[in-house]
Amino acid sequence: MGEQASDGLVAIRCGTLLDCTGGAPKHDHLVIVRDGRIIGVGPESSVDVPKGARWIDGSEQVLMPGLIDVHTHLLGVRSWNPMNWMLDFSSNLGMVRAVTDVRSYLEAGYTTIQDVGSRAAITLRNAVRGFEKGQSR
């Protein structure tokens, strides 16, 4: 584990692995990821870890696929009253709230969300794409 890590190569030690296929949870498994793609999964005793992999010790954690929400509204509003939606959404306040909402999604395990009609979604998507390309620092 003390070797220099290869770029994009990660070995994740899982306490519990939920693969969400309907099977029982798996314990003491490794997940090997290269450049953001899973390339190997199995019991720790049977998985070959490529030399130079960066290790993540999740032996006390649960690993599962990211959650998906296909109907959300990133309006940044804090009221169930539709009249307040128009009054409450200034471009600045609504955007700041939408950013915090997206962060809350990520922290709750969602890796994919589909906004179905807010003004903030396209701007947030473009900002994320720019950040992934190293344009927003």
Side-chain angles (χ1 to χ4, degrees):
M1 279 197 274
E3 301 174 32
Q4 180 67 28
S6 296
D7 288 335
L9 188 58
V10 180
I12 305 169
R13 181 176 284 125
C14 307
T16 303
L17 174 65
L18 303 177
D19 63 14
C20 297
T21 62
K26 297 170 177 63
H27 301 283
D28 301 317
H29 270 53
L30 286 179
V31 176
I32 309 299
V33 179
R34 175 176 281 133
D35 297 325
R37 294 191 163 264
I38 296 172
I39 62 168
V41 177
E44 190 165 350
S45 59
S46 66
V47 174
D48 290 326
V49 178
K51 188 175 182 172
R54 178 174 62 96
W55 282 81
I56 296 175
D57 183 9
S59 58
E60 308 245 342
Q61 306 294 320
V62 175
L63 181 69
M64 62 183 271
L67 301 171
I68 299 171
D69 184 338
V70 296
H71 188 124
T72 190
H73 300 272
L74 296 172
L75 299 172
V77 296
R78 300 297 187 260
S79 168
W80 287 103
N81 180 348
M83 289 305 291
N84 288 341
W85 297 357
M86 299 310 289
L87 298 172
D88 205 20
F89 189 90
S90 71
S91 60
N92 295 333
L93 177 61
M95 184 57 71
V96 170
R97 287 179 173 172
V99 168
T100 61
D101 291 346
V102 169
R103 183 178 184 104
S104 294
Y105 270 104
L106 284 170
E107 291 172 350
Y110 287 85
T111 56
T112 303
I113 59 173
Q114 179 179 348
D115 182 272
V116 290
S118 80
R119 293 174 250 180
I122 301 299
T123 303
L124 286 170
R125 182 204 61 199
N126 292 343
V128 168
R129 286 182 178 167
F131 183 76
E132 288 172 348
K133 294 177 183 177
Q135 297 169 354
S136 301
R137 294 267 178 208

